[in-house]
Every structure is written in structure tokens, then in C-alpha cells.
Amino acid sequence: MSTVNLTMAILLGGLYAGGFYLILQRSLMRILLGIVILGHGANLMLQLAGGPPGRPPMVGDAAPAMMTDPFPQAMALTAVVITFALTTFLLALAYRAWLLLGHDEVRDDLEDRRIRRLERRLAESEEDEEEMETEATQ
Amino acid sequence: MTALVALPVLLPLMAAGLSLAFGRFADIQRVLGLVVLGAIIVNAALLLYVADVHGPIVLQLGGWPAPLGITLIADRLAALLLLVSSVVTFAVLIYSIGQRVADYGRGTSSTTFHPIYLMLCAGVSLAYLTGDLFNLFVAFEIMLSSSYVLITRRTTATRVRPGMTYTIVSLTSSILFLTVIALVYAATGTVNLADLAQRVSELPDGLQSSLGLLMTIVFGVKAAMVPLHFWLPDSYPNAPAPITAVFAGLLTKVGIYAMIRTQTLVFQHESTWQLMLAIALLTMIVGALGALAQDDLNRMLSFLLVSHIGYMLFGLGVYDIAGLTGVILYVVHHITVQATLFLVSGLITRHTGTVALSRMGGLAKAAPLVAVLFSIPALTLSGVPPFSGFVAKLALLQAGVDAGTWAAYGVAGGAVLTSLLTLYAVARVWSRAFWGRPQEPAGDPDPSDELVVGTGTTSPAMMVASGVLAATSVLIAVAAGPLADISGRAAVDLMHGETYRTAVLGGGAGG
Amino acid sequence: MTETESQSPGEQEAWTTWDTPSERWLLSGYTRDRRERKILLELAARILFPTVLVFSLYLLFAGHEHTGGGFSGGLVAGQAFVLRYLAGGRMDSSSTVSLQPPVLIGVGLTIATFISLVPLAFGGTVLESAIYTFTVPMLGQIKIVTSLFLDIGVYLLILGVVLDLLRTLGSAIEADVAAVERR
């Protein structure tokens, strides 16, 4: 078990909060930035999981017991690569959306809205509950 | 011998590489894909046999011993699911080749579909076979990033939006997964599942449950359990039929598998798990009611998929050998059935030219074969007696009743209700699409139609693929006895983690 | 050169562009729009390109015992092409790399997975590696770790990925923009 120092804890909190805030935006570019920031947060967390910072990472610099845990670094490296790949994918997707739609907004579920409209229309016309449900399914 | 465990991951990867390199030769890609996926079926069957007779097969990659190196392990559960999944991926590949030939002619090659599809298969295999939490993350990423590409391939203006939703939700859950891994590593200093099993039990209770809950949320997003399911009916229906079929059949089940694996091996619960039962009930009911409200065939099937995830959560919530046996049976049955339904839905929409149920009709006469192909998985899904859904549901209900708590009784009641609602939902499809008179295309076609429907021609290969899957689900019902036995043994393995732990860590004290 | 001649200015050329270079600093004959050229960058790219490639090979071979490996080697090699792309634009990078990036990725992936299965033939397990040392006259003792071959696959794979990124997010978008401008 290792505990994190305060600076890192605050930094992590900031990264996660900022990331999630950006993810909740409409524009895909902001969401992309949010994912990047969240990814940084997660990777920093992985690094911190390996113990306190400042220990030598390379073989030969210190006694094995004094060295930093290489395992989280290996995991973080893999995760960084994955985040990088998905970031480029999202970039390409945002570009495609911009080409096709003229914007990169992430919209609501269209069909869901259609069904909700249908239901509202049915509710407005005076019918009793049961019929309403059967017709909503049509 | 042990290399058999690595082949289901490495072969598709290698085939993906070759497929990319031969991007211009459609026939080579097709043969390669079929041969490799066929080989994996055989491989998985062998694994299942060996795992059942001799116990789990463990491969330490590169010969590095367990807690440090990467472990691949095939126990009964993993091998069984791998076998079913590989049958599905094989059939779906046949279907999509058939669809492609029908749409674009025989000669057109695709530089992306085959390699990415094979990558997806590799990711699914790795997720089943991995014995370490971080590798599970990698497997999820391989699987999901392939799925992002598949779902956004050839997007049109209307299809790019659902692709975005899907990608963002999955990415967020992946980052949460990474966070959980970091927390688990910080708490225990290992990510090897077998090693974790021991070390997590030494942690304080509160920490254990919070890590376990976080993990449940992560896998819950992937498995689409109810408060976290919203992305699924939005995104899945917008992909082409074979893609949706493989997503619906496999991706959510991999989430369930990960949940079963971590909940049984690492974060164990002593008794009936109330929260999971509540979520299971909610998932069943919300999914089924959502399905009833839909007019779009694929969306309806997606909601049914969500609803039936609830059954698997139910068995997991009951948390005893009978419950887990039920879950395993249910997963096996559901993988084939849901994939078949989506494939058949592809056939239906090709005949009718629309996904809207209100504009279909008269298919029973126009395409009797499609009607038969639809009726089998539809009846199976709703749990009508001779089919496999009945066997799996019965096992789950019995487990629920045997558990004997009020919560379990309640959820069992909900399960029966959901079954009825499912039957109602598929019967509605039947009466709308297959009976009545064929309808003329309406004046204002649904804008989402053209992209799902394709050119409207079907080919024998697509029929055969759907038929093979439907036959598989019938076969599951026929072989219900032995299957239930093996699921039972797998469940015993799950409840008693020692087999798994000693297999991975060796006979010693471990850790 | 003829290309630049044909665009060459008359009296009426704007004062902002009269001193833009028209020499061929890069290997290929294409140049991007003259106003966007940067001599320092082009010269640096010309000099650095082979150097960086050699360095990437060093990383590839040093990987087993020192910092480096197939992944970082491939990335560094990719950076060389990124530099070229930055200096020369889409015409340049597409004309020097005749190999299709997907093919490169495919070959790399195939090599890496195939190599991981090779130890099975010698009775080892998947992904196991062995170390061979032998003496070559003139060069002295050479130590080869079989994981090097896996690294070569990874190197090609990563290089292919970077080139593919350059192609799809770089030159393809540039081509789109150019097409829009022409319209």
C-alpha cells in the first residue's frame, strides 16, 4: 500500500474534474480534449501507484530495492499508446463529422426523440391509458 | 500443448496482418479469415475438452513466472465461451462476405473490414483467456478500438453521430477501467488475477467493496446494465447487420464475462448480492419496456439485448453454484441467439427496404425462409420450451427460487414477466412484419433507412450463415444436458477459486 | 526547376513573396506553395532525415539492454517522416514513400506474431527469447537476442502507423483543403 502526496492528489483531482467537465460538452473537439486530460489523469494515477516519485528508473543507478517499480511504468506506457491511438481516431472522426455535417456536435438520440414526440402527441389526443400504449408501439 | 491457449489470440492477429498486407486481394482476405476463424473453433473445442478433463491450461508468456509475467489461462468457462464466440464470429464472417458480394460484387476488396474484424476476434479471445487485469484492459481496448472502426466505417451524415456516442462512452469507461487498475495496483501491488484473489482478501472491507463496485461500474458500462445502458440502443442499430450481430453477440457478453471473472475470483461476495439483484431487475424491466416502445426493428432488438443482460446479472446476483451455472448457460445461449436475431433482422430489412416495423408486412409469404429463420431465435429468446432459452431461463429461475430470499423471489418474478414481455415484443414483430399485406414504401422514408438496408439483395451465403447460427442455438437446446453439466463444473470452479489460483501460481502457497 | 520557372514572378509580384526560395532543398522534385516554405526547416529536414533514421535503427538494435526497442525505434523513424512532411508538405512525403502504409503495418504485425510463435518449433513457449553470441572477424563479439526479430516487426508496424497517420490526418486533409480552394 502506498499513499499519495497532497500535490499529486490535488493534481489528480483537477485532471479528472477538468476531463469529465470537458467530456460533458457538446463539441467533439472538447470531448476529445477531455479524454486526453482524463487519460493523463489515469496515467498519472498509474505512475503514482508504483510508489513515491523521484526514484531512479534505470538499472545500475541504484540498488534494486531503491529503484522505482517498473511495472506501473510499463502499464502506463501501454495505456499512453492506447490513448494516443484513440485520440487520433477521435480526431479523424471529428474531421469526418465536420466534413459530413459541417459541425462536430454530438447530438442526442434522434429516434428516442421521435418516440417521445409520438408519445406526447398521443397524450394530447384524449385517449385512455391503455390505448395510448398500444398506439405508441405502432 | 499450452500453446493452444495463445493461438486464438495470435492467429487472428497474424491473419489481420496478412490481410492488411494483401489489402488488394479480396479472395485471399476472405479465405484467410475463414480458415483462421475455422481453426479457432477447432482450437477452442480442443481447449474445452482438455480444460474439462485435465483442468485449466496455463501459458506463461515467454516463460516468465506468474505474478510478474503475462498469464493466459483457459479454464472451462473461458474455453466454453471462446468456443461459442468463435462459432458466432465464423458465421458472421460468412454473412458479411455474402453481404459484401451481394452489394458490391465479388472482386471488390476492402482494406479495412477483414483486418479489423480479425483484430476484434483477437481482442475477444484475449479477453476470455487472459489471467491478468491489465491484459484484460488491453484486450478490451483491442476489441473496442476495432469496434469503433467497424461502427464508423463508411459513415454517412446520419450514422456519424451514433458512432460518436458509442466511441465516447466506451472511451470513458476504458479510462475508468484504467483508473481502477491503478487503484487496485496501488492497494495490492499486483494485477495478476490469481495473485489478486489472495491479496484483495487481505485488504480492509471498505476498500474491497469500493474497488469491487468501481469494477462493476466499468464492466457494467461495457455490458450495458441498466443505468449505464443508454448508449447501446443508440449506437448498435446504426451499424450494418453483421457488425451489429457480432457486437450484440459478443461485446456485451465479454463485459459480463469480465464481471463474472472478477466478481468470483477477486472481489468475492459471501451471500446473495442485493444491489446486483436490484440492478438485474431494473435491467430486465427497463429493457423489455423500452423494446415495446420501439418502431425500429434493430432498436427493438437492442433493447431486448439490454433486457436480457438482466438475466445474467440475476444469476450473478444470486451468487451460488446454481446461479452461476444459470449465468453460463444463459451467456452461451444468448451469444448465439442475439447474433442470429440481428443477422436475420438484416435479412428482413433487406427484403422490406425499411427498419420501421410499421411499414413492414407480408414477409411470411414473400420470404418464407426468413420467416423460419426469424422464428427460431425469436422463440428461443423468449424462452419457449423446446429451445435453449427455456433451459437457460429455467436454470436461472430455479437458482433464484433455491436462493430463497425475498429479493431473489422478486427478481425471479421479474424474470418471468420479462420473458412474457419479450415474447410479446417478438410476436409484435411477427404480426407486423410477417403477416398482413406487403406495404408500399411510404412517402417520407425514414432517413436512417438507406444506410442500414443496403442494396436489398440477399445472397445464399447470408442465409446459410444465419441458418448455421440458428441451428447452433437449436443444438444448444439438444445438447442441454452435457452443456448444463459442463456449466455446472465451470461454476464450481468459479466458486472455488483454488483450482484457478493453483493453476496459475503453481502448487505452492502462491503470491 | 521548370515548375518554379513557370510560376516565376514578373514585375507585378507582391513584395511579400519576391524573396521566397525556389531551390530544391528536399529530395523530391515537388515543392509546396512557395510562400509557405521555410528554408531553415527544409535544410534541417534534409540533414536530419537520414540521421534520425540511423538513430532509430540504433534504438531498434540497442533495445534489449539499453533504452530503446522496436516501439521507440519505430516512433523515432516515424518522426523523421513527420519532419519531412512538415518541411515538404503532402507532395513530398507521398512521393518518397512508395510503400503503402497499410502494407507496412500488415507486414510488421505478421512478422511480430509469427516470431512469437517460432519458439514453439524449438520446444520453447510462446514469446520466449534466446540469446546467441558469436564472434565475427573484424567486428568482434556479437550478441543477438531473438526478441530483436519481434522488435523488427514492431518497428515496421509503428512506422506504418505513423505514415498512415501522416497520410490520413495530414496529406488527405491537405488535399481536401486544396480541393475546396480550387472549387
Side-chain angles (χ1 to χ4, degrees):
Chain A
M1 282 270 281
S2 56
T3 46
V4 187
N5 69 37
L6 190 60
T7 328
M8 286 299 152
I10 292 173
L11 190 59
L12 274 181
L15 283 172
Y16 272 87
F20 276 116
Y21 174 76
L22 282 173
I23 279 187
L24 296 176
Q25 304 291 307
R26 281 282 176 186
S27 152
L28 191 57
M29 274 319 284
R30 294 190 183 187
I31 293 175
L32 169 74
L33 289 177
I35 297 232
V36 170
I37 292 177
L38 267 184
H40 288 338
N43 285 320
L44 182 61
M45 186 111 108
L46 262 179
Q47 292 289 305
L48 293 174
R55 293 190 181 180
M58 295 277 185
V59 179
D61 288 350
M66 284 306 297
M67 285 184 21
T68 184
D69 186 354
F71 208 69
Q73 302 198 348
M75 292 197 285
L77 181 65
T78 316
V80 165
V81 173
I82 291 172
T83 333
F84 160 73
L86 293 176
T87 308
T88 54
F89 174 78
L90 270 186
L91 265 178
L93 189 63
Y95 179 68
R96 172 105 53 98
W98 182 75
L99 267 192
L100 288 170
L101 307 172
H103 59 80
D104 66 342
E105 226 171 84
V106 181
R107 295 267 168 92
D108 287 346
D109 192 343
L110 298 173
E111 180 79 7
D112 210 38
R113 279 191 189 166
R114 210 171 66 81
I115 289 170
R116 205 163 57 209
R117 270 206 305 278
L118 188 71
E119 200 177 289
R120 207 177 296 140
R121 230 181 20 244
L122 286 168
E124 277 163 13
S125 63
E126 299 142 356
E127 286 168 356
D128 58 314
E129 293 273 290
E130 267 186 51
E131 265 183 62
M132 196 177 88
E133 203 181 299
T134 47
E135 282 205 23
T137 59
Q138 282 177 359
Chain B
M1 185 66 227
T2 54
L4 276 183
V5 189
L7 288 182
V9 183
L10 288 178
L11 281 184
L13 276 182
M14 185 154 43
L18 284 173
S19 202
L20 254 181
F22 290 107
R24 304 211 174 275
F25 306 94
D27 286 339
I28 294 183
Q29 285 186 324
R30 285 169 192 157
V31 170
L32 202 64
L34 289 175
V35 166
V36 162
L37 292 185
I40 290 173
I41 297 181
V42 178
N43 188 341
L46 271 177
L47 277 181
L48 181 59
Y49 175 75
V50 177
D52 194 35
V53 177
H54 302 289
I57 315 161
V58 179
L59 171 67
Q60 313 284 6
L61 282 183
W64 299 93
L68 287 177
I70 294 171
T71 309
L72 294 184
I73 172 168
D75 61 350
R76 291 190 180 103
L77 174 64
L80 182 62
L81 293 187
L82 183 66
L83 178 60
V84 182
S85 304
S86 50
V87 171
V88 169
T89 48
F90 184 70
V92 169
L93 185 64
I94 297 178
Y95 185 99
S96 49
I97 289 174
Q99 178 171 334
R100 193 169 178 81
V101 171
D103 281 359
Y104 304 105
R106 192 155 173 276
T108 49
S109 64
S110 158
T111 43
T112 49
F113 175 76
H114 286 275
I116 299 286
Y117 186 74
L118 288 165
M119 291 287 280
L120 183 87
C121 298
V124 170
S125 305
L126 183 60
Y128 287 141
L129 295 173
T130 183
D132 125 1
L133 200 57
F134 188 75
N135 243 19
L136 188 61
F137 169 74
V138 174
F140 267 117
E141 287 314 304
I142 296 178
M143 194 173 82
L144 290 175
S145 33
S146 320
S147 75
Y148 304 150
V149 179
L150 287 177
I151 210 167
T152 55
R153 240 178 110 245
R154 296 178 186 283
T155 41
T156 49
T158 36
R159 246 169 72 188
V160 77
R161 184 199 59 78
M164 285 183 195
T165 318
Y166 175 74
T167 315
I168 295 163
V169 172
S170 306
L171 264 177
T172 314
S173 84
S174 296
I175 287 177
L176 279 181
F177 193 4
L178 200 59
T179 312
V180 179
I181 290 176
L183 291 173
V184 167
Y185 189 84
T188 61
T190 181
V191 286
N192 186 296
L193 285 176
D195 201 13
L196 267 180
Q198 197 167 3
R199 300 218 193 158
V200 164
S201 62
E202 291 161 7
L203 292 177
D205 277 348
L207 191 54
Q208 264 189 53
S209 4
S210 46
L211 287 178
L213 271 182
L214 269 173
M215 201 78 96
T216 312
I217 290 174
V218 167
F219 296 137
V221 176
K222 319 249 185 213
M225 71 184 196
V226 141
L228 309 167
H229 72 291
F230 55 91
W231 54 272
L232 192 144
D234 185 12
S235 57
Y236 277 16
N238 291 286
I243 309 272
T244 319
V246 77
F247 284 13
L250 298 183
L251 298 198
T252 45
K253 302 316 173 301
V254 173
I256 291 282
Y257 168 81
M259 221 183 245
I260 297 176
R261 186 60 92 200
T262 48
Q263 299 300 341
T264 54
L265 191 64
V266 184
F267 302 101
Q268 291 170 2
H269 299 271
E270 295 295 312
S271 57
T272 316
W273 192 14
Q274 310 288 344
L275 175 67
M276 192 53 106
L277 287 178
I279 290 177
L281 184 63
L282 207 63
T283 309
M284 289 180 201
I285 301 292
V286 169
L289 291 180
L292 290 182
Q294 304 304 316
D295 185 40
D296 178 332
L297 174 60
N298 286 334
R299 276 178 71 92
M300 193 214 77
L301 290 178
S302 305
F303 269 104
L304 282 184
L305 166 64
V306 172
S307 149
H308 286 244
I309 293 292
Y311 284 92
M312 298 164 218
L313 298 178
F314 171 37
L316 192 57
V318 169
Y319 206 80
D320 56 9
I321 291 176
L324 287 176
T325 312
V327 181
I328 297 169
L329 273 176
Y330 208 90
V331 172
V332 167
H333 132 83
H334 199 250
I335 287 178
T336 53
V337 165
Q338 198 72 42
T340 323
L341 272 178
F342 273 107
L343 288 187
V344 176
S345 138
L347 293 176
I348 292 177
T349 48
R350 275 167 174 260
H351 273 287
T352 57
T354 173
V355 289
L357 286 173
S358 52
R359 286 203 300 277
M360 295 181 179
L363 263 182
K365 258 188 201 146
L369 202 56
V370 176
V372 174
L373 281 179
F374 177 77
S375 61
I376 296 174
L379 291 177
T380 310
L381 188 70
S382 40
V384 173
F387 296 109
S388 62
F390 172 69
V391 182
K393 282 200 172 89
L394 190 66
L396 276 176
L397 287 179
Q398 263 179 350
V401 172
D402 287 347
T405 59
W406 282 111
Y409 281 130
V411 184
V416 175
L417 180 67
T418 310
S419 227
L420 282 176
L421 290 175
T422 308
L423 188 60
Y424 174 53
V426 292
R428 206 165 59 92
V429 176
W430 183 264
S431 68
R432 291 272 152 72
F434 290 95
W435 283 345
R437 247 174 277 111
Q439 297 195 15
E440 292 302 309
D444 57 338
D446 191 331
S448 62
D449 279 3
E450 23 101 30
L451 33 109
V452 181
V453 173
T455 54
T457 48
T458 53
S459 70
M462 295 160 74
M463 291 290 194
V464 168
S466 318
V468 164
L469 273 189
T472 313
S473 69
V474 173
L475 195 71
I476 289 175
V478 173
L483 198 65
D485 288 346
I486 207 170
S487 308
R489 289 196 290 273
V492 172
D493 284 353
L494 286 177
M495 290 303 284
H496 306 289
E498 293 87 33
T499 335
Y500 190 95
R501 263 172 291 176
T502 43
V504 174
L505 298 173
Chain C
M1 289 319 259
T2 51
E3 213 177 2
T4 48
E5 292 293 320
S6 66
Q7 296 173 349
S8 84
E11 311 298 315
Q12 64 272 50
E13 196 180 7
W15 61 273
T16 45
T17 56
W18 67 270
D19 59 346
T20 48
S22 55
E23 290 83 1
R24 251 179 45 168
W25 296 110
L26 287 166
L27 292 175
S28 62
Y30 299 99
T31 51
R32 54 165 37 171
D33 185 3
R34 282 166 52 211
R35 269 164 295 181
E36 293 174 19
R37 291 185 64 184
K38 286 160 191 75
I39 297 188
L40 268 183
L41 186 59
E42 278 182 38
L43 270 176
R46 174 87 197 254
I47 298 165
L48 283 178
F49 181 70
T51 323
V52 174
L53 279 186
V54 170
F55 178 59
S56 81
L57 283 179
Y58 163 75
L59 285 178
L60 170 65
F61 284 99
H64 187 69
E65 303 211 0
H66 302 277
T67 320
F71 182 78
S72 38
L75 269 187
V76 167
Q79 294 314 305
F81 286 94
V82 171
L83 189 63
R84 275 196 80 111
Y85 171 75
L86 287 179
R90 78 190 146 103
M91 299 311 240
D92 181 62
S93 68
S94 59
S95 63
T96 46
V97 184
S98 56
L99 201 57
Q100 289 286 314
V103 176
L104 208 57
I105 300 175
V107 170
L109 188 56
T110 313
I111 292 178
T113 43
F114 182 73
I115 292 297
S116 64
L117 288 175
V118 164
L120 289 176
F122 300 98
T125 69
V126 177
L127 277 173
E128 198 168 331
S129 57
I131 300 174
Y132 297 101
T133 28
F134 48 88
T135 320
V136 178
M138 310 282 288
L139 290 175
Q141 207 174 45
I142 288 185
K143 178 174 155 193
I144 285 192
V145 185
T146 50
S147 63
L148 174 69
F149 299 105
L150 183 93
D151 268 347
I152 291 175
V154 176
Y155 180 93
L156 292 177
L157 173 66
I158 298 297
L159 181 59
V161 168
V162 176
L163 288 180
D164 208 15
L165 279 182
L166 275 185
R167 194 184 60 160
T168 48
L169 288 183
S171 38
I173 289 182
E174 225 179 294
D176 281 354
V177 172
V180 168
E181 271 170 10
R182 238 178 283 126
R183 225 181 284 148

